Amino acid sequence: MHVDIHKAHLKSLTLLYIEDHSLTSEFVLPLLKDLFSNVVFATNAVDGLELYQSKFLECEKSFDIVLCAMDMQKMNGFEVTKRIKEYKEEQLVFTTLLRRDSALFSDALKALFLEIAEKVILLDQIQKKQFLLQQKNNILDEYVFTTTSDMSGRITDISQAYLDFTGYTKDEVLGKNHSIFRNHHLNKKVIKNLWETLLEDKIWKGELRNSKSSGEEYWIRTIIKPLYSEENIKIGYLAIKEDITTKKRLEELSTKDQLTMLHNRRHFEYFIKKELNRSISQKNTIALLNIEIDYYQEYKNTFGYSKAYKLLLDVSNLLKTQVQTHIHHIFKISELEFAIVITNKDDAFIDAFAQQLLDAVAALHLCNPQSPICDSLTLSIGAVNIHTQHCTITSNDLYNVADTNLAKARENGGNTFVSHVNEEYIKNLKNIDNITKLPNRSALVHELSSLQEEAMLIILHINQLCSLKELYGFDFASNVLATKAKELQDVLDPNECELYNLNLQEFAILIHDKNMFYKYLLLLQHSILMASDSYKDTAGEHFIADFTAGISYGVKDIFNHADLSLQEALISKISYKVYKNNQSQKQLQEENLNRLKVYKNALHTGKIIPYFQPIVDAKDASIIKYEALARLETDNGEIISPYYFLDAAKEDKTFEFFTRQMMQKVFNIFAKSGVHISMNLTYGNINSPSMVEYIQNRLDKYGGKGITFEILESEDIQDYHVIESFIIMVKEYGCKVSIDDFGSGYSNFTNMLKFNIDYIKIDGSLIEKLNSDQNVRNMVRGLLVYAHNANMKVIAEFVSSEELSEAVKELGIDYMQGYYYGEPKPPEYYGLA
């Protein structure tokens, strides 16, 4: 078959045949014309060269093949070849010594030309590939930013696209180091990491801040890969770059205050967490100064926005002149509040610096006639300096201590600083909300766990806050939340009830005295739920942020019942709903159908979304993985908890599609973030061949290392062999397996021993009673001994307070999960998306 292909290819070629031996040419020419469709014949070397020259000069095209005799009279074959190569170096020229009297002349000639055909085909393929490669190179040169450098980083080649973008010429760049592009703001640690990576023969990926020839700053995302010779010796580096300047500028706009161009609260919260972790690892001190302009609101009310903003700029510029960029970091975290972070300095330095700021502001002599303490502008400063090797603290705790000291400075009349650190106060901070300074969800859960008598619980949801946060940002939403907290405190009597802040959108009111139940129901109906007050957004437009409420009475499950009633009220668009234990069958069916309707609408519109809650190591509270938890997003953007829709979903035939939608979104986040994630499965999921096939398909695509499947062991399980087969299958992909709600009443120790289980998660109802029921404590201790003897790790869920955390640690449980260590949040909150 190859012979036929070669013959067919010869027919398409043009041949120049040069031969001065007539007997040979008379025999050879018919053979050649049989093989080639176009044969040009020259009877001597001189004529042959003239024919080649004329064809080349006429159309700059040459013959495909030249065949000439070696021993011609006027010029031998080597000389002819040399002269032809002067015109076209890559010309195919074959010389032959064959004569008519050769014994195998005909066969040899055919073999020769078949070999020629093979070489011509190969050359043609190479030329086509070279042409395509040249086109690709031209496109890359025109549109892709690339540089090639030698082992020392000197540039040996650069694409025209990158030259056009940076404004340099090739002569200005070649032979120079990449520092020709470098911006003076670039962190030297980045360059150090870059070279350390490349010297280990690894690929470096990162973002660099550079400068064009004009001095204009730009950002690039860069991939640098080592280049190797044929002998596998490293000879240099290839860098591919992508312009991300617009992206970085948008990021900067989202993290900077647009008036002062200082980093805003969003960036402050990110930075303080990172800096605190670094200080803890290095056992350094970290200080935070919260700074507020005294009587700023009165100044703004008197002189208006324009002068107030000018005052903010003056203070901002002053603070910038006082800080040392290598040890200070300054932020604007609200309209009138600034923050400065300082690391690795002692208490004396922090106190001296705070006094320095007060003196510097006084020296400006900025007039503030609204201040009762001084005619000039003054500041109040709350400072804290934490020695991380002696004190365990979170970033929220750090802020709360500084903010408490700021409040004390204001109470002292302003124009002063307070830097006292109360260790007992720090210990209790984990139960205080960062924004409202109210007891948080952990505090409420702890209080509910010790209920002995019937109580009333009201959960309040701020209806428009989610949309306001999306429109105007976290700072704006936080201010609304703080305002709503103050309004509630004004109408509630702290001697009769307790007010909690659960999250950015919800409060809770707990009433213990039965005699007060009716009073607070009336207060809710005629005061708290009345949308009488309006607020202004950033454009000066009025909006209403009113409440929706869920109410429950009782001892057990009072929180879940109030939350369920709240979800019902939100969906039904009514102001409040009371949980009832004695509903009729018809009422229950109606509510179930309503939940099913909401659930199906979310399913068909892709509004089943994953939230994530961290699972931490009991030894050091480091996050080992996240559990993915399903949430439902309504048409108006409200997030509904699973208590509302999960039972209805399980009863519906679409539950498998619900699980698939949830699972795909979780796998997407797993693939992007690389963090370890737990996913929940029911026996119904595992007993469905199509669902198991889907899971196997996802594991084929994304891999299983880092995935844990949490299987709920319940009375629904009919065939443990189905569970066993599933576990064997996912284990082959490197997945882990956990048994959820262990100890809830259905746990089967015998079956657990059969399976290759990695974790058991002790049911939250047991964990919540660790400090109040010795029998439960003994039971958990027994479960723990059993699990560890079977080489299983144990996870405690519903760890909602420091007391529960200490009890869990004392028992020797391996991992913990609960509101004390992190609420279920969207993936963006934990940096997973």
Side-chain angles (χ1 to χ4, degrees):
M1 184 175 178
H2 288 297
V3 172
D4 294 336
I5 293 172
H6 295 164
K7 283 183 177 180
H9 191 71
L10 285 174
K11 282 288 184 184
S12 67
L13 302 178
T14 302
L15 174 77
L16 173 61
Y17 176 42
I18 307 171
E19 173 64 77
D20 63 357
H21 192 275
S22 59
L23 290 176
T24 303
S25 62
E26 286 175 4
F27 180 76
V28 171
L29 267 173
L31 292 173
L32 293 177
K33 289 179 179 179
D34 184 54
L35 292 169
F36 295 88
S37 61
N38 190 1
V39 178
V40 179
F41 175 56
T43 58
N44 58 68
V46 174
D47 290 347
L49 284 173
E50 287 180 356
L51 283 169
Y52 188 90
Q53 181 183 20
S54 62
K55 184 172 179 65
F56 185 81
L57 293 176
E58 280 177 15
C59 56
E60 293 188 1
K61 278 189 71 176
S62 57
F63 296 92
D64 295 306
I65 301 172
V66 177
L67 176 67
C68 69
M70 174 60 72
D71 53 348
M72 294 182 290
Q73 293 180 5
K74 294 183 180 181
M75 191 183 301
N76 65 36
F78 286 134
E79 184 63 28
V80 172
T81 301
K82 179 182 177 183
R83 298 281 293 275
I84 287 174
K85 293 285 186 178
E86 290 175 359
Y87 288 102
K88 186 178 180 182
E89 187 176 353
E90 64 269 22
Q91 176 66 60
L92 278 177
V93 183
F94 296 89
T95 58
T96 176
L97 286 168
L98 292 172
R99 285 289 178 252
R100 174 70 184 84
D101 53 357
S102 298
L104 300 174
F105 183 83
S106 178
D107 291 341
L109 191 63
K110 289 181 179 179
L112 170 65
F113 280 107
L114 288 174
E115 184 181 347
I116 289 172
E118 185 176 359
K119 292 181 188 277
V120 169
I121 291 172
L122 181 60
L123 179 63
D124 185 55
Q125 290 174 343
I126 292 172
Q127 287 175 339
K128 286 180 179 177
K129 286 182 179 179
Q130 287 178 335
F131 180 72
L132 288 173
L133 182 61
Q134 186 58 48
Q135 285 189 86
K136 290 179 181 177
N137 288 338
N138 291 340
I139 292 171
L140 290 174
D141 188 58
E142 186 177 356
Y143 296 106
V144 180
F145 298 170
T146 63
T147 58
T148 307
S149 57
D150 60 19
M151 293 290 291
S152 63
R154 287 190 297 269
I155 300 170
T156 57
D157 195 17
I158 182 170
S159 67
Q160 189 60 45
Y162 197 37
L163 288 172
D164 294 342
F165 178 75
T166 58
Y168 285 99
T169 64
K170 189 166 282 192
D171 290 339
E172 290 175 315
V173 171
L174 293 184
K176 302 289 179 57
N177 192 281
H178 279 84
S179 59
I180 189 173
F181 302 114
R182 196 168 301 156
N183 186 284
H184 67 278
H185 291 300
L186 183 65
N187 192 333
K188 292 180 180 179
K189 291 180 181 178
V190 175
I191 301 302
K192 183 173 182 290
N193 171 260
L194 183 155
W195 277 109
E196 286 175 351
T197 303
L198 293 178
L199 291 174
E200 292 176 359
D201 296 340
K202 296 178 181 177
I203 298 173
W204 185 85
K205 298 179 182 180
E207 297 178 352
L208 298 172
R209 181 191 294 190
N210 286 345
S211 294
K212 298 182 180 180
S213 62
S214 62
E216 180 186 350
E217 180 181 282
Y218 67 95
W219 281 86
I220 51 172
R221 181 183 291 113
T222 304
I223 300 174
I224 306 176
K225 185 175 183 179
L227 296 174
Y228 297 90
S229 67
E230 292 179 356
E231 295 79 21
N232 202 33
I233 298 172
K234 189 163 69 172
I235 57 174
Y237 305 97
L238 173 67
I240 301 174
K241 310 159 193 291
E242 177 192 0
D243 176 25
I244 56 169
T245 308
T246 301
K247 172 179 171 289
K248 297 298 287 187
R249 285 176 179 165
L250 287 173
E251 286 178 0
E252 187 175 75
L253 286 173
S254 70
T255 60
K256 285 197 172 180
D257 174 69
Q258 295 306 292
L259 176 66
T260 63
M261 293 311 293
L262 294 172
H263 282 297
N264 60 17
R265 187 181 189 113
R266 177 181 176 183
H267 188 72
F268 166 75
E269 291 184 345
Y270 162 79
F271 178 86
I272 195 71
K273 288 178 183 177
K274 183 182 73 171
E275 201 64 21
L276 178 60
N277 289 337
R278 190 177 69 83
S279 295
I280 291 171
S281 66
Q282 297 178 359
K283 297 182 179 179
N284 288 337
T285 61
I286 181 168
L288 174 63
L289 286 76
N290 284 4
I291 304 162
E292 188 176 288
I293 302 173
D294 291 330
Y295 303 100
Y296 168 80
Q297 197 62 48
E298 291 80 0
Y299 183 94
K300 185 173 77 169
N301 292 341
T302 302
F303 298 105
Y305 285 94
S306 179
K307 286 192 175 182
Y309 290 165
K310 174 65 169 59
L311 184 69
L312 289 172
L313 279 172
D314 289 338
V315 174
S316 169
N317 292 331
L318 170 74
L319 295 177
K320 290 175 186 177
T321 63
Q322 297 297 312
V323 301
Q324 303 173 43
T325 55
H326 62 288
I327 59 169
H328 304 78
H329 304 273
I330 182 170
F331 306 85
K332 186 168 183 288
I333 55 177
S334 71
E335 183 181 350
L336 71 160
E337 191 174 349
F338 299 84
I340 296 176
V341 178
I342 305 173
T343 56
N344 208 23
K345 293 294 179 181
D346 60 21
D347 294 347
F349 178 93
I350 301 304
D351 288 352
F353 180 70
Q355 186 60 52
Q356 175 186 322
L357 293 179
L358 296 177
D359 295 340
V361 169
L364 285 179
H365 299 293
L366 294 173
C367 181
N368 184 9
Q370 301 308 306
S371 172
I373 59 172
C374 180
D375 291 337
S376 299
L377 178 75
T378 58
L379 302 177
S380 292
I381 301 175
V384 58
N385 192 32
I386 295 295
H387 301 260
T388 58
Q389 69 269 38
H390 303 311
C391 182
T392 302
I393 197 169
T394 67
S395 57
N396 283 345
D397 297 341
L398 186 67
Y399 177 82
N400 279 329
V401 174
D403 201 51
T404 298
N405 284 343
L406 175 61
K408 291 177 181 177
R410 285 196 302 265
E411 291 170 4
N412 293 339
N415 195 24
T416 187
F417 73 90
V418 175
S419 59
H420 177 66
V421 177
N422 186 316
E423 293 184 5
E424 188 62 31
Y425 176 75
I426 292 176
K427 184 179 178 181
N428 294 324
L429 273 172
K430 290 186 183 293
N431 292 325
I432 303 297
D433 177 72
N434 189 35
I435 298 170
T436 62
K437 306 302 181 290
L438 292 171
N440 61 15
R441 186 187 182 109
S442 295
L444 174 62
V445 172
H446 177 70
E447 180 66 22
L448 294 178
S449 68
S450 60
L451 277 182
Q452 299 295 323
E453 296 182 359
E454 183 181 14
M456 176 184 185
L457 181 65
I458 304 169
I459 299 181
L460 296 169
H461 177 94
I462 307 176
N463 293 320
Q464 288 77 22
L465 203 55
C466 184
S467 299
L468 292 172
K469 179 187 173 188
E470 292 297 321
L471 284 171
Y472 306 119
F474 179 82
D475 290 350
F476 184 86
S478 297
N479 288 335
V480 174
L481 181 71
T483 302
K484 300 301 287 185
K486 180 67 168 58
E487 291 173 1
L488 288 171
Q489 288 172 313
D490 289 342
V491 298
L492 299 176
D493 186 341
N495 296 316
E496 298 173 349
C497 66
E498 298 155 13
L499 177 63
Y500 300 85
N501 182 202
L502 305 184
N503 52 51
L504 189 61
Q505 285 186 273
E506 293 177 342
F507 296 94
I509 304 170
L510 181 63
I511 304 102
H512 290 278
D513 188 349
K514 288 183 180 181
N515 296 322
M516 295 288 111
F517 288 178
Y518 185 63
K519 171 186 175 180
Y520 276 90
L521 180 60
L522 293 176
L523 185 66
L524 180 74
Q525 293 171 328
H526 301 295
S527 178
I528 296 173
L529 295 180
M530 299 295 289
S532 56
D533 295 325
S534 65
Y535 310 88
K536 285 185 179 181
D537 61 19
T538 56
E541 298 292 330
H542 287 267
F543 67 90
I544 294 174
D546 54 354
F547 287 117
T548 297
I551 308 167
S552 68
Y553 302 88
V555 177
K556 187 178 180 182
D557 290 331
I558 184 174
F559 183 88
N560 290 341
H561 292 163
D563 187 47
L564 185 61
S565 296
L566 174 63
Q567 313 304 328
E568 295 275 10
L570 288 169
I571 294 298
S572 303
K573 296 182 179 178
I574 56 178
S575 59
Y576 75 94
K577 186 174 179 66
V578 180
Y579 182 84
K580 296 178 180 178
N581 287 312
N582 56 350
Q583 289 176 293
S584 68
Q585 188 65 30
K586 183 178 179 180
Q587 287 175 317
L588 290 172
Q589 288 176 344
E590 288 176 352
E591 289 190 359
N592 196 53
L593 285 172
N594 188 42
R595 293 175 193 173
L596 195 59
K597 181 180 177 182
V598 174
Y599 153 72
K600 281 193 171 182
N601 180 61
L603 183 65
H604 295 314
T605 56
K607 295 294 183 68
I608 303 298
I609 58 175
Y611 268 39
F612 293 86
Q613 186 174 32
I615 298 174
V616 304
D617 193 314
K619 295 185 183 70
D620 56 12
S622 61
I623 296 173
I624 61 160
K625 60 181 172 180
Y626 295 86
E627 182 180 1
L629 301 163
R631 294 292 186 268
L632 183 154
E633 184 178 0
T634 65
D635 290 337
N636 60 359
E638 300 292 350
I639 303 300
I640 303 299
S641 74
Y643 295 113
Y644 178 80
F645 65 87
L646 209 52
D647 288 339
K650 287 178 180 177
E651 293 174 8
D652 189 67
K653 292 181 180 179
T654 60
F655 184 61
E656 182 172 318
F657 298 103
F658 157 78
T659 308
R660 289 190 182 202
Q661 186 176 132
M662 173 71 177
M663 187 173 287
Q664 181 57 61
K665 291 179 180 180
V666 173
F667 267 119
N668 289 341
I669 291 168
F670 170 69
K672 183 177 180 180
S673 66
V675 300
H676 290 203
I677 295 177
S678 286
M679 287 187 265
N680 294 288
L681 291 175
T682 65
Y683 174 71
N685 294 142
I686 297 170
N687 197 37
S688 165
S690 59
M691 187 66 212
V692 173
E693 183 179 349
Y694 175 79
I695 293 171
Q696 192 166 7
N697 177 273
R698 297 299 84 188
L699 293 175
D700 283 331
K701 180 174 182 178
Y702 298 103
K705 191 174 182 181
I707 292 292
T708 299
F709 288 107
E710 293 193 15
I711 302 172
L712 177 63
E713 192 189 16
S714 69
E715 58 189 352
D716 297 330
I717 298 177
Q718 298 172 2
D719 187 352
Y720 276 91
H721 293 294
V722 172
I723 304 291
E724 185 176 16
S725 297
F726 177 79
I727 292 173
I728 292 171
M729 184 272 288
V730 298
K731 286 281 185 174
E732 290 176 355
Y733 289 91
C735 300
K736 303 285 188 182
V737 176
S738 175
I739 299 300
D740 199 8
D741 290 351
F742 197 78
S744 60
Y746 305 113
S747 303
N748 189 314
F749 285 79
T750 304
N751 286 314
M752 291 300 99
L753 286 171
K754 290 180 182 178
F755 303 151
N756 185 13
I757 302 298
D758 300 285
Y759 311 98
I760 61 171
K761 182 179 282 189
I762 298 179
D763 187 63
S765 63
L766 299 178
I767 298 299
E768 288 181 319
K769 296 176 182 177
L770 282 180
N771 288 325
S772 59
D773 191 326
Q774 188 60 41
N775 291 329
V776 168
R777 196 179 184 92
N778 292 336
M779 177 183 174
V780 170
R781 187 178 285 112
L783 290 174
L784 190 63
V785 171
Y786 156 74
H788 284 168
N789 287 339
N791 294 317
M792 300 179 198
K793 297 291 186 180
V794 178
I795 303 171
E797 60 180 356
F798 285 29
V799 179
S800 57
S801 65
E802 184 177 12
E803 290 79 9
L804 276 179
S805 174
E806 292 302 319
V808 166
K809 291 177 186 178
E810 183 183 331
L811 286 170
I813 291 174
D814 304 287
Y815 306 116
M816 298 183 286
Q817 178 181 0
Y819 276 78
Y820 185 67
Y821 290 101
E823 298 181 27
K825 292 285 187 181
E828 298 81 9
Y829 182 85
Y830 292 113
L832 306 182

